[in-house]
Amino acid sequence: MDEQLYVKQILSGNTSAFSYFVDTYQDMAITIAYRICGNRQDAEDVVQESFVKAYRNLHGFRADSKFSTWLYRIVYNTAVTLTKSKMWTGYNETDIENASHLSGNSVDINIEDIEQKEMVGNILQKMPKGDALLLTLYYLEDNPVKEIAKITGLNETNVKVKMFRARKLFKEMLIRYYGQTVEDQFLVSF
């Protein structure tokens, strides 16, 4: 069923139709909130609050963008408001210093022993929140630059520049934590 029909049903009084949106978008909403908040509990609180806001403001949803874009923008704004964090500033130096044992050049890390998904998650967790969010939205959620711009409130050029820098940082951190051999064998292209 078309999402516009769900919106019309909800606005007509069929509140149970909203469960479609919760079921469809909850996982990515939590991922976005987690990238900004840094912990699961806050992320879940943000998502719950965001769905309430979306439900209450559904009458204001215009179909000029996808429902997911509109909802993820609410999640993004709610998470940023909660954390009052600076989205585009440096990564956590303490985490990097504490994880320096992972970057030993003499240690050969076998790619078969480390799941790529876990590696990606580890690197994204150590990156600046905004950079990790952009990479998540683009590569893991397959949002185009135009949608990411709407979600984050950045212009498209800014998204592209920040994505370029985020990919570069991701590659540098991948090498730092897992060694050059992993970067050479890494299958996911950031």
Side-chain angles (χ1 to χ4, degrees):
M1 183 186 295
D2 183 13
E3 290 186 341
Q4 277 300 109
L5 294 175
Y6 281 107
V7 170
K8 288 178 184 174
Q9 283 184 355
I10 296 164
L11 292 175
S12 298
N14 180 5
T15 57
S16 64
F18 195 74
S19 66
Y20 164 80
F21 294 118
V22 173
D23 294 341
T24 304
Y25 299 115
Q26 183 172 11
D27 290 342
M28 181 44 83
I30 288 175
T31 300
I32 291 169
Y34 180 79
R35 293 278 179 246
I36 296 168
C37 297
N39 71 66
R40 183 83 177 170
Q41 183 60 48
D42 286 346
E44 289 173 355
D45 291 346
V46 163
V47 170
Q48 183 175 357
E49 184 178 339
S50 297
F51 275 116
V52 170
K53 286 179 181 179
Y55 180 79
R56 288 183 180 155
N57 295 298
L58 195 57
H59 62 279
F61 170 66
R62 293 169 293 167
D64 58 344
S65 67
K66 297 188 302 187
F67 181 86
S68 61
T69 303
W70 182 71
L71 175 66
Y72 296 157
R73 179 72 182 165
I74 294 170
V75 171
Y76 174 86
N77 286 336
T78 304
V80 168
T81 300
L82 175 72
T83 60
K84 293 183 172 97
S85 67
K86 294 183 180 180
M87 292 292 298
W88 311 109
T89 57
Y91 47 87
N92 191 334
E93 294 292 337
T94 305
D95 287 346
I96 290 177
E97 289 169 11
N98 291 340
S100 62
H101 65 279
L102 294 174
S103 65
N105 291 337
S106 63
V107 177
D108 249 355
I109 298 174
N110 188 348
I111 190 85
E112 287 77 30
D113 296 336
I114 301 172
E115 293 290 327
Q116 285 185 5
K117 193 173 186 177
E118 185 178 315
M119 290 169 56
V120 169
N122 288 340
I123 298 296
L124 289 175
Q125 218 168 358
K126 290 172 178 43
M127 291 181 70
K129 294 175 182 179
D131 292 343
L133 176 64
L134 290 177
L135 294 177
T136 299
L137 289 171
Y138 189 78
Y139 289 103
L140 303 179
E141 180 65 11
D142 295 324
N143 280 299
V145 170
K146 188 174 188 171
E147 294 297 314
I148 295 171
K150 289 179 183 178
I151 291 168
T152 60
L154 300 169
N155 64 45
E156 289 182 42
T157 303
N158 224 352
V159 169
K160 290 176 185 176
V161 169
K162 289 182 181 300
M163 291 255 313
F164 174 81
R165 291 177 181 158
R167 282 189 292 266
K168 183 178 176 189
L169 178 61
F170 181 91
K171 182 178 177 181
E172 290 169 1
M173 292 178 75
L174 181 68
I175 292 169
R176 170 185 261 161
Y177 290 113
Y178 296 105
Q180 183 69 40
T181 57
V182 171
E183 191 266 338
D184 292 340
Q185 297 174 1
F186 203 68
L187 299 176
V188 178
S189 174
F190 272 90

